[in-house]
Amino acid sequence: MYVTNAFFAYPAAPDSIGQTIEIAATNVRTRSNNTIFTWRHLDICGHYIAGQVLNKIEECELLIADITKLNFNVVYEVGYAIGKCKPILVVRNGSLNVEDISLGNLGIFDTLGYESYNNADDLTRLLMAAHDLSPISIPVGRNSRAPIYTIEPRFKTDFINRTISRVNKAGLHQRRFDPNEQSRLAAFDAIENVAESFGVVVPLLSQEVQDSRVHNIRAAFVAGLADGIGQLRLFLQEGDSPVPIDYRDITKSCYQLEQIDRYVADFAAEVTELFQSPVEAKTKAPENLLQSINLGSSIAENELRDLPGYYLETEEFQRVARGEARVVVGRKGAGKTALFYRVRDRVARNRNHVVLDLKPEGYQFRKLRDSVLLLLQEGSQEHLVTAFWEYLLLLEICNKLLEMDRERHLRDPVLSELYRQIEDHYGSDRYIAEGDFSDRLNQMAIEIAQRYMDTFGLQAGKSLSEGDVTNLLYRHDLAALKSILKQYLAHKDEVWMLIDNIDKGWPSNGIEPADILIIRTLLEATRKIEREFTRNDINAHTVVFLRNDVYDLLVEQTSDRGKETRIAVDWSDGDLLKELIRLRLVNSGVSEHLDASSAWRTICTPLVGGEETFQFLIDRCLMRPRALIDLINHCRSIAVNLRHEKIQEEDFVKGLVAFSNDLVTDINLEIRDVMPDAEDLLYHFIGGKKSISLNELNELLLREGRPPESISNLLHVLYWHGVLGLIWPIDGHVEYVYQIKHNMKLFEAHVEKLNTAGGVMLQVNPAFWAALGVQ
C-alpha cells in the first residue's frame, strides 16, 4: 500500500546513511511517477527545527525512521509519531557497524519491529512494498492511584535520587521503569504507562554517567510519546547536555540539586490540578478483546491501582497478614513486593494500626558503609548500625503518627496533648520533615559518616564506646523519644514495620559482609523495638522482605541461626500460576464463570507446536509470576501490533525470542550479584545442545577459562537459578530446583546419586533456548 505523504527521519551521521536514503528516495519518486508517493526528508542535525519536524509529522500519513545510528532526535520523533497515532515504518542498514547500543538490551525497537536493508536497492524495495499502515493503538484510561510515570537509569546518581524523592514528597505515587528490575524497555509497556499517566517525569543523564547513552535514548522515546499523546511532562537534564539544541526548549536544565525542587513543585501543582479536573478520554476504544486485556505490570509498584482487583491471596499471604513471620523470602520476580503492598493494605484497613511501609535501597548506605563501617572493629560495626536502625525507625514512627493523626488529634482530647508534644519536639526535625523516607535515611547516613570523619578521621580498627555511638547518632534524647512514643502507641491497636527493597541496588561486584551486616542489624533493631513495646502492652510486628539468595547468605553469616520466623514465597504449582492469570483476565472483562483454561483460550490459539499454549508458557517462565506476565505481555504486544484478534502461534514464537533475551540478561545479573566472578556465565551455552552430561559441562567450563576450584560453585548457581535441570533416566522427565521448592540439598543429592550410578544428564531450560541459540 502506497502513501502520498511520507516523512523520513534519519541521523546526519554517518554520511553513507543519508546518501543511501537519498538514492532510494529518488528511486521511489521516479518509479511512482511523482504521483503515488511524494517524499519529504530531513537532515536532523545542527538546525533549530524541532517545531518544523513535529508539524510535518502531524501532517504526514507515515513516518519512516532510520535507526541505523540511534540518536535522541529520531527516537523522540518515533515516540511522537506513535503518540499522534501515525503509522510508522522503522528501517535499519544492516551492512553498517555504527551502533554501540544493543537493540536487545535497549528494548523499544525489538518489539516495535524494524526492516533491514543493505543498500539503496534494498531500501527502495522496502519503501515500494505494501505495508500495514495501521497506527499502534493507544490505551484508554488514567491511573488515579499512581498518576506519575518515571523512567529511571540503572545507576542512581544524586540527580536521579533527588528527582524521585521530590516527586514522592509531593505526594504523587509513581510507576517507574527501573532497569535494575526490567533489563529492557518494552515499547508497548512504555506506551501503556505514558497513556494512562497524568504526568510523565523524564530525567536525562549527563554523558559522563555510565550507561547514560542507553538511558537517554529510552528517555527520548518516552519524551516523544508524552508530547505526542499530549501528557503533562517534566523533562529534566543535568547541565546543558545531553539534549540536542533542537529540543533544548522542552527541557529544564539543572545545575544545582535545589533547582529540581522548584521544577518538581511546579510540575506537581499542574498534575494535581489536572488530577482534580474531569478529563475526557483522548483515545479510541479497543477494537477487540485482546486489545482491551491488561494483565498488569510484572512490577508490583507499577500496578498499585489494579492489584487489589486480581491479587491471588495465597496461604503465604494469609500467614504474613496474621503476623506469623518476621522474614519473607523469595526469588526475584516471585511476588514479594506485591505481597508487601497487599499486606500493607490489609493491616491498614484498621485505622488504629500504625503501618510503616519502608523501601530503603542498599545504595543509600554506601557512604556509611564505605566511610565508617570498614574502619571499625566488628563488634563496633554491629553496635553502631543496630543503634542507627533503632533510632531511624523510632523517628519514622513519629513521622507516621504526625501524618495519620493530623486531623484526628484535633477531635480527640486523649491524643491532642501527646500529638502536640511529638510535633513540638520532632515535627520540624529534618530527619522527619524533609523529603521522603529514602531522603531521610540517606541524609542521616551521610551526616553520621561526616561526624565520624570529623571525630576519628581514617583511624582503622576503631572500637566505639557507648558515648561515641551517642555522639555520632542521636540528635534527640533517646529515652524521651521512646517514652512519648510508648504513651502515644498505648492508644493504638498495633504497630507494623514492613520493610522491602533493602537488598536492591547493592554493588555490582557482589554482596559483601557489610551488606549482610546491614540486614542482620535491621532485624536485631526491630526485635529490640518489639520487645520494648511488648513490655508496655503494645503489639508490634516486623516483616522484612528479602531475596532468598540474600537470606541464605544471612543465615550462613549469622551464629544464632533459626532465630527468625520465615515464610517462603515460592511457586511450584502450575495451576496456581494459571489462576493468577485467570484473575487478571477477569479483571479485564473476561467472564468470571470461565475456568483458567477456558478464559485463556478467549485471547489465544490453543496450541504452540502441538503443545497446549499455557503449558508452553509455564515451562518457560522459571515458575516466576513476573517472568510469566512479561512473557505473555511480549506475545500479546506483538499480536496487537500485527492486528491479530488472538495471540497466534507466530506471536508466541516472536514474543519468546524477546523474552528469552531479557531473561538471559536478568539471570546473568542475578548471578553476578551473589558470585561476581560468574558474570556472563550463561553465554557459555551459546550454540550448544539442549542436553549435556555433567562431564561435558565440566569440560565446557574449563575450556571457557573457569578455574577448576570454582566449578562446584558455578554448578550450584546454575542449578539454583533454574538454568539447568536434571534429566531422570527412568522416564526422561526434567526436574528443576524450583519444582522442589528450591531445596538445593535435595537437588544436589539427586545429582550426586545419579552421577555415582552411572552419569548425569542435564538440560538447559527452554526459557533460554531462543536467546542462546540452543540446538
Side-chain angles (χ1 to χ4, degrees):
M1 178 178 181
Y2 299 117
V3 295
T4 59
N5 186 0
F7 181 79
F8 210 130
Y10 60 89
D15 292 340
S16 56
I17 295 176
Q19 294 166 3
T20 299
I21 290 172
E22 291 291 349
I23 294 171
T26 301
N27 290 341
V28 172
R29 290 193 195 98
T30 301
R31 297 177 190 182
S32 63
N33 296 318
N34 288 319
T35 57
I36 299 176
F37 200 109
T38 58
W39 196 270
R40 291 184 300 195
H41 72 278
L42 185 63
D43 184 328
I44 57 174
C45 180
H47 305 282
Y48 183 74
I49 55 172
Q52 301 173 41
V53 171
L54 302 184
N55 288 336
K56 288 181 178 179
I57 290 175
E58 291 186 39
E59 295 168 2
C60 76
E61 297 175 73
L62 171 70
L63 174 72
I64 306 168
D66 190 296
I67 60 166
T68 306
K69 177 68 176 177
L70 292 167
N71 72 2
F72 185 97
N73 305 60
V74 172
V75 178
Y76 174 90
E77 287 150 18
V78 169
Y80 186 84
I82 292 172
K84 288 296 182 183
C85 295
K86 298 293 181 179
I88 60 169
L89 173 62
V90 182
V91 297
R92 184 170 183 263
N93 191 325
S95 68
L96 300 179
N97 184 22
V98 297
E99 187 48 66
D100 57 336
I101 296 177
S102 163
L103 293 183
N105 291 335
L106 174 73
I108 303 174
F109 297 105
D110 55 346
T111 48
L112 281 181
Y114 59 88
E115 302 284 353
S116 292
Y117 69 92
N118 294 323
N119 50 53
D121 287 340
D122 286 351
L123 183 56
T124 301
R125 283 191 290 272
L126 276 177
L127 299 177
M128 296 291 291
H131 295 287
D132 181 1
L133 296 182
S134 301
I136 295 171
S137 297
I138 307 296
V140 177
R142 300 286 187 112
N143 189 328
S144 58
R145 293 197 63 177
I148 302 299
Y149 179 56
T150 303
I151 180 167
E152 299 178 14
R154 179 182 171 193
F155 297 99
K156 307 299 190 288
T157 63
D158 290 336
F159 168 71
I160 296 297
N161 290 335
R162 185 66 164 250
T163 301
I164 295 170
S165 174
R166 298 314 298 183
V167 174
N168 288 335
K169 181 66 175 176
L172 299 173
H173 294 295
Q174 304 175 65
R175 287 160 289 113
R176 294 151 63 176
F177 168 77
D178 183 349
N180 292 301
E181 295 289 337
Q182 297 169 289
S183 58
R184 47 181 285 287
L185 177 64
F188 295 96
D189 281 351
I191 293 168
E192 289 181 359
N193 275 295
V194 172
E196 69 177 25
S197 297
F198 285 83
V200 179
V201 177
V202 182
L204 297 155
L205 286 180
S206 169
Q207 295 169 356
E208 289 76 27
V209 177
Q210 190 174 346
D211 276 358
S212 62
R213 183 159 145 67
V214 171
H215 169 75
N216 291 335
I217 291 297
R218 289 171 176 157
F221 180 71
V222 172
L225 281 172
D227 279 345
I229 295 173
Q231 304 291 46
L232 287 176
R233 78 291 191 278
L234 177 62
F235 303 155
L236 296 172
Q237 69 171 354
E238 289 185 273
D240 293 321
S241 68
V243 175
I245 193 171
D246 313 359
Y247 291 94
R248 194 71 53 81
D249 282 356
I250 69 174
T251 64
K252 306 287 188 184
S253 294
C254 301
Y255 303 93
Q256 297 178 335
L257 293 178
E258 289 73 18
Q259 291 178 282
I260 297 172
D261 302 357
R262 184 177 74 254
Y263 291 140
V264 171
D266 293 343
F267 172 71
E270 292 183 81
V271 171
T272 302
E273 182 178 354
L274 177 63
F275 189 74
Q276 295 172 345
S277 304
V279 180
E280 294 184 6
K282 301 179 181 179
T283 52
K284 62 180 182 179
E287 297 175 5
N288 54 51
L289 176 62
L290 185 61
Q291 287 188 8
S292 69
I293 291 296
N294 177 14
L295 294 178
S297 171
S298 60
I299 308 298
E301 293 92 336
N302 292 347
E303 57 174 1
L304 293 180
R305 177 190 64 177
D306 299 319
L307 191 60
Y310 50 61
Y311 183 73
L312 179 59
E313 295 189 351
T314 61
E315 174 61 19
E316 289 79 10
F317 164 79
Q318 301 291 353
R319 291 180 60 198
V320 175
R322 292 194 296 264
E324 295 180 11
R326 282 175 42 84
V327 178
V328 173
V329 302
R331 293 174 292 160
K332 187 175 181 180
K336 298 186 302 298
T337 298
L339 193 152
F340 169 89
Y341 284 119
R342 294 305 299 139
V343 168
R344 178 199 66 180
D345 293 346
R346 167 72 69 86
V347 298
R349 289 176 188 171
N350 184 329
R351 296 193 176 184
N352 218 33
H353 285 173
V354 180
V355 184
L356 302 185
D357 54 337
L358 307 178
K359 298 178 75 67
E361 295 185 9
Y363 70 84
Q364 292 161 341
F365 294 92
R366 194 172 300 147
K367 181 74 173 177
L368 182 64
R369 184 192 65 189
D370 295 345
S371 300
V372 178
L373 296 185
L374 298 181
L375 297 175
L376 294 176
Q377 291 182 2
E378 185 174 342
S380 292
Q381 292 178 354
E382 198 100 13
H383 186 194
L384 177 66
V385 185
T386 302
F388 171 88
W389 275 121
E390 181 189 17
Y391 184 42
L392 177 67
L393 291 171
L394 292 173
L395 289 174
E396 284 303 310
I397 295 173
C398 284
N399 183 56
K400 174 58 70 172
L401 293 174
L402 292 174
E403 174 189 301
M404 68 186 292
D405 287 345
R406 184 172 291 115
E407 300 296 332
R408 179 180 173 182
H409 85 280
L410 298 174
R411 305 184 301 271
D412 189 333
V414 175
L415 293 180
S416 182
E417 178 58 31
L418 294 171
Y419 185 95
R420 280 196 292 271
Q421 289 184 44
I422 292 178
E423 188 174 39
D424 291 344
H425 285 87
Y426 310 107
S428 61
D429 190 277
R430 67 173 177 271
Y431 287 166
I432 292 180
E434 293 189 4
D436 61 1
F437 172 68
S438 294
D439 251 354
R440 296 189 291 271
L441 185 153
N442 195 45
Q443 179 69 24
M444 185 182 291
I446 289 173
E447 289 189 10
I448 291 170
Q450 187 58 55
R451 285 200 289 272
Y452 181 90
M453 297 304 295
D454 292 343
T455 305
F456 303 110
L458 296 175
Q459 179 183 349
K462 176 66 180 174
S463 176
L464 297 179
S465 67
E466 192 73 36
D468 292 333
V469 171
T470 298
N471 292 332
L472 287 173
L473 279 182
Y474 303 128
R475 292 164 49 88
H476 311 94
D477 184 321
L478 186 62
L481 173 60
K482 291 179 179 180
S483 175
I484 188 63
L485 281 178
K486 284 184 283 191
Q487 293 177 61
Y488 200 105
L489 293 173
H491 302 284
K492 299 293 182 181
D493 291 341
E494 293 180 0
V495 177
W496 285 76
M497 294 175 283
L498 306 175
I499 303 164
D500 189 22
N501 267 12
I502 191 169
D503 51 9
K504 180 180 177 181
W506 275 348
S508 60
N509 60 344
I511 299 169
E512 300 175 356
D515 300 315
I516 299 300
L517 171 73
I518 288 168
I519 296 176
R520 187 168 63 247
T521 53
L522 167 63
L523 291 168
E524 179 56 38
T526 57
R527 195 180 302 107
K528 186 176 179 181
I529 292 172
E530 288 178 12
R531 284 196 302 264
E532 189 145 3
F533 283 174
T534 300
R535 285 196 294 267
N536 289 268
D537 296 322
I538 300 167
N539 293 322
H541 307 276
T542 300
V543 189
V544 178
F545 295 75
L546 298 172
R547 292 200 328 248
N548 48 6
D549 54 329
V550 174
Y551 178 78
D552 289 344
L553 290 174
L554 172 67
V555 171
E556 287 178 13
Q557 299 180 30
T558 302
S559 57
D560 188 5
R561 301 179 184 180
K563 187 187 328 185
E564 304 296 347
T565 51
R566 176 185 71 97
I567 287 177
V569 180
D570 221 333
W571 300 77
S572 56
D573 185 349
D575 288 339
L576 273 180
L577 288 176
K578 288 183 179 180
E579 178 62 12
L580 181 148
I581 298 300
R582 187 193 73 83
L583 290 173
R584 290 168 182 255
L585 292 174
V586 168
N587 195 63
S588 290
V590 174
S591 172
E592 63 180 337
H593 302 297
L594 296 177
D595 61 23
S597 296
S598 300
W600 177 242
R601 286 195 293 271
T602 64
I603 67 164
C604 74
T605 187
L607 299 175
V608 177
E611 186 177 354
E612 197 272 324
T613 51
F614 213 111
Q615 193 60 49
F616 175 86
L617 299 175
I618 287 178
D619 288 344
R620 288 158 177 80
C621 74
L622 309 186
M623 298 299 284
R624 300 185 183 193
R626 176 184 297 180
L628 178 61
I629 294 168
D630 280 340
L631 176 52
I632 296 174
N633 279 335
H634 276 302
C635 301
R636 175 189 168 274
S637 295
I638 290 170
V640 168
N641 194 34
L642 294 175
R643 320 299 292 181
H644 294 162
E645 292 192 0
K646 289 188 175 184
I647 307 174
Q648 304 295 323
E649 182 167 353
E650 64 182 280
D651 305 322
F652 283 114
V653 173
K654 292 177 182 177
L656 180 60
V657 172
F659 166 78
S660 184
N661 278 286
D662 288 355
L663 193 63
V664 166
T665 300
D666 290 341
I667 296 299
N668 267 325
L669 292 175
E670 286 185 36
I671 290 173
R672 182 196 65 185
D673 284 347
V674 294
M675 192 176 179
D677 294 339
E679 187 174 7
D680 297 336
L681 179 61
L682 269 61
Y683 297 132
H684 297 338
F685 296 95
I686 289 177
K689 297 179 294 183
K690 69 174 185 179
S691 300
I692 185 171
S693 72
L694 184 58
N695 289 336
E696 290 173 330
L697 179 56
N698 286 331
E699 293 172 2
L700 171 65
L701 295 174
L702 292 172
R703 282 200 310 273
E704 294 290 344
R706 300 293 180 175
E709 63 273 12
S710 72
I711 300 299
S712 176
N713 288 334
L714 293 174
L715 292 175
H716 182 89
V717 298
L718 289 169
Y719 299 151
W720 195 94
H721 285 88
V723 178
L724 294 175
L726 176 63
I727 302 175
W728 283 91
I730 297 176
D731 57 8
H733 88 272
V734 183
E735 177 183 83
Y736 296 94
V737 70
Y738 50 73
Q739 294 171 321
I740 55 173
K741 295 187 178 296
H742 268 84
N743 189 332
M744 279 298 297
K745 288 186 177 180
L746 178 60
F747 186 88
E748 291 180 327
H750 287 163
V751 172
E752 182 62 30
K753 182 177 180 179
L754 290 179
N755 196 39
T756 303
V760 171
M761 288 298 296
L762 302 166
Q763 178 172 298
V764 178
N765 196 303
F768 302 100
W769 292 358
L772 298 177
V774 171
Q775 301 171 27

